[in-house]
Amino acid sequence: MSVTSGLPFLKPEHLMPSLTSPGRQRRHTLPASEFRCLTPEDAISVFEIEREAFISVSGDCPLHLDEVRHFLTLCPELSLGWFEEGRLVAFIIGSLWDQEKLTMDAMTLHKPHGSTVHIHVLAVHRTFRQQGKGSILMWRYLQYLRCLPYVRRAVLMCEDFLVPFYQKSGFKVLGPSEITVGPLAFIEMQFPVRGHAFMRRNSGC
């Protein structure tokens, strides 16, 4: 059984108990909403959403297409995509890291024996923004990480204006990141995955 198949918060809606009357059937066969780990075959869809979301704001993408494929090949279990009727509408890509602070190496490396998940990117398709999807996806992702026994914490870096968004998801500011990209500076933030015993007992892990 795959990791995700036993996790109720990743189960597609078409496998959940129906809230509609027994006589009503969907007219299509694709699930209305599905959360699953991404695969290298999703890389182009991922990059198209990411490119539109980031280039207009910062002029560059956190991950280029070859890097997206790289991480979805090495550690697809640390990604999560939100699909609606088969269409990717939002995603998160992460990898493992083995140091307390992020360095430039963390931008391209996956450390299989690390206990820190480096969240590289969270992006939502332009037609689905301002609907709270980013927050929902992040919540599901953090719940998922609690079911991975080797994960101790999640870290990310973001620009100043995004700090309040991630604070609402439970991330705490660590301070300025050592990483800069051209003129851009970042704040490093972390979320403690371990130490939430009550949440784990009730998460279905």
Side-chain angles (χ1 to χ4, degrees):
M1 182 174 68
S2 68
V3 173
T4 58
S5 63
L7 307 182
F9 44 84
L10 292 183
K11 188 172 291 185
E13 286 187 0
H14 71 297
L15 298 180
M16 300 294 283
S18 174
L19 298 180
T20 60
S21 60
R24 295 181 62 184
Q25 300 292 328
R26 295 191 186 278
R27 295 183 179 180
H28 52 75
T29 57
L30 291 172
S33 188
E34 177 186 19
F35 295 85
R36 66 165 172 83
C37 295
L38 299 167
T39 71
E41 287 70 31
D42 297 310
I44 292 177
S45 296
V46 165
F47 184 65
E48 287 175 349
I49 293 174
E50 183 196 15
R51 181 174 54 188
E52 190 280 328
F54 284 90
I55 287 185
S56 60
V57 176
S58 61
D60 200 2
C61 295
L63 297 175
H64 296 285
L65 181 57
D66 59 339
E67 294 167 333
V68 171
R69 288 197 178 103
H70 172 72
F71 287 119
L72 294 186
T73 299
L74 288 180
C75 48
E77 72 280 0
L78 297 176
S79 67
L80 183 60
W82 186 343
F83 295 80
E84 293 197 347
E85 298 186 1
R87 178 187 183 189
L88 181 65
V89 301
F91 69 88
I92 292 174
I93 292 178
S95 65
L96 287 178
W97 184 239
D98 60 358
Q99 299 177 31
E100 284 300 309
K101 296 282 288 183
L102 295 175
T103 68
M104 284 301 296
D105 284 344
M107 305 293 284
T108 56
L109 297 181
H110 167 61
K111 299 286 191 172
H113 301 295
S115 61
T116 294
V117 172
H118 172 204
I119 298 175
H120 292 271
V121 58
L122 161 64
V124 179
H125 191 282
R126 64 181 181 276
T127 59
F128 295 90
R129 291 178 198 149
Q130 308 303 317
Q131 299 176 20
K133 280 183 164 53
S135 296
I136 293 170
L137 183 63
M138 179 59 78
W139 181 86
R140 285 180 175 258
Y141 186 73
L142 294 174
Q143 294 297 310
Y144 170 57
L145 293 184
R146 288 190 173 106
C147 293
L148 303 180
Y150 53 86
V151 175
R152 180 172 61 89
R153 64 182 185 134
V155 298
L156 56 82
M157 61 182 204
C158 65
E159 294 180 74
D160 287 343
F161 73 94
L162 286 172
V163 167
F165 169 81
Y166 289 112
Q167 285 177 324
K168 290 178 181 177
S169 294
F171 283 82
K172 305 297 183 184
V173 172
L174 291 177
S177 174
E178 299 176 7
I179 300 170
T180 58
V181 179
L184 298 178
F186 305 96
I187 301 297
E188 192 163 326
M189 306 184 73
Q190 77 167 359
F191 180 92
V193 174
R194 299 278 76 89
H196 291 256
F198 177 80
M199 292 297 292
R200 291 201 302 275
R201 285 198 302 271
N202 293 277
S203 68
C205 299

